Amino acid sequence: MAMEKAAAENAEKAAPLKLLGSWASSYTHRVQLALRLKGLEFEYAEEDLGSKSEALLRNNPVYKKVPVLVLPDGRALAESAIILHYLDDAFPSARQLLPADPFDRAVARFWCHFSDDKLGPAVGAVFASTGEEQEAAVRQVHENLALLEAELREGAFKGRRFFGGDEVGFLDVVLGCGSYWLAVFEEVTGVQLVDADAFPLFHAWLRDFEAQEEVRETIPSVDRLLDYARGLRQMLLAMAAGAGAPADAPTAAPPSAAPPAPATADIAVDI
């Protein structure tokens, strides 16, 4: 009986995982990169977030967003950080993304929360605003990057090549899959977010992260990201202008090159 159970578990883990995602979603990229770093086979299904599939709505009825990881037995998990934790727990013999030490694991989780709770929203605000509002958002981004720079210089990550040590780890995946947007946003908005002189350690880490083979396989081309970001920014600014207009004033229509509105709710301009 025990042998049969073990055989069934091995067969289940040998079957391919399936990932529902979107090509421009850095949350999707987190899971894709983690799977590649761990050497796990998976099938990928691109979602049209303007017309969500029955599979996406069935497997993530709460948030209705990507990414969703569907297991071989049909069970599904949503939310990128949750999926990354699952992959470490479910495949202990594969490369581990979180450190072994409990304190170091807690530190990595803290800074992952920081990325999603503070840094990401600040970057998104830069992208979706202009004028004084954008200037305030840029200051927030710089303040947050200064905190990471301090940790790399003299804090928890001092002397490390990556946040995870000698290899890309959990925090590298979370921060890195999104940090590549910084250069794209700089090009689209005309503001500087990552100054190599002000944040030399963060800048060097990002360049090293982007040079990793698994990262290059995961992140879309800069040209494609630029085209997407330009259309999305135009639409976000048009929507903001419409929201601030008087009730009887005409509103600007989103540009034809921009993605449909439902997609912007799923692919947040995050880091």
Side-chain angles (χ1 to χ4, degrees):
M1 189 73 174
M3 292 180 61
E4 292 178 357
K5 181 179 180 181
E9 290 177 351
N10 290 335
E12 178 177 316
K13 290 188 177 182
L17 301 160
K18 185 173 183 178
L19 177 62
L20 310 181
S22 177
W23 74 269
S25 165
S26 57
Y27 299 114
T28 295
H29 298 155
R30 290 178 180 180
V31 181
Q32 289 176 313
L33 178 56
L35 289 165
R36 290 186 171 112
L37 290 170
K38 287 177 168 293
L40 300 175
E41 293 187 8
F42 67 99
E43 297 176 359
Y44 177 72
E46 177 72 16
E47 282 288 329
D48 177 0
L49 299 180
S51 179
K52 299 177 183 180
S53 71
E54 186 275 334
L56 175 60
L57 298 177
R58 181 181 71 252
N59 287 303
N60 188 6
V62 177
Y63 293 109
K64 303 178 176 64
K65 295 181 180 181
V66 295
V68 172
L69 185 71
V70 182
L71 309 186
D73 63 4
R75 293 178 298 169
L77 292 167
E79 296 295 303
S80 62
I82 299 298
I83 295 172
L84 264 58
H85 282 293
Y86 167 79
L87 292 175
D88 255 10
D89 292 340
F91 300 94
S93 61
R95 173 176 167 179
Q96 293 293 284
L97 298 177
L98 278 166
D101 181 80
F103 180 81
D104 290 341
R105 292 167 74 90
V107 170
R109 291 186 176 111
F110 171 85
W111 287 103
C112 288
H113 177 71
F114 165 85
S115 173
D116 287 341
D117 183 59
K118 292 182 70 68
L119 182 56
V123 174
V126 172
F127 184 71
S129 62
T130 58
E132 293 183 357
E133 183 181 351
Q134 186 182 67
E135 291 174 3
V138 169
R139 287 194 294 272
Q140 282 194 321
V141 171
H142 289 166
E143 289 171 4
N144 290 326
L145 290 179
L147 293 172
L148 286 171
E149 184 73 16
E151 289 298 313
L152 287 166
R153 184 177 61 253
E154 56 191 16
F157 311 111
K158 180 181 179 180
R160 295 186 184 183
R161 178 184 179 188
F162 297 106
F163 289 98
D166 293 332
E167 295 183 320
V168 169
F170 192 97
L171 181 54
D172 297 283
V173 171
V174 171
L175 271 174
C177 289
S179 291
Y180 59 83
W181 279 110
L182 291 169
V184 174
F185 289 175
E186 287 179 335
E187 176 71 21
V188 173
T189 63
V191 301
Q192 186 173 32
L193 296 176
V194 183
D195 185 341
D197 293 329
F199 313 111
L201 297 177
F202 180 86
H203 183 269
W205 162 80
L206 181 55
R207 297 288 83 79
D208 200 358
F209 172 82
E210 292 175 335
Q212 301 306 299
E213 180 180 355
E214 296 87 353
V215 175
R216 294 199 305 268
E217 293 174 357
T218 301
I219 306 306
S221 69
V222 172
D223 288 344
R224 192 179 184 195
L225 292 172
L226 278 170
D227 287 343
Y228 176 84
R230 289 188 180 104
L232 179 57
R233 177 167 162 80
Q234 289 175 26
M235 188 184 70
L236 291 173
L237 294 179
M239 292 171 63
D248 58 349
T251 58
S256 58
T264 66
D266 288 354
I267 308 177
V269 281
D270 65 319
I271 189 169

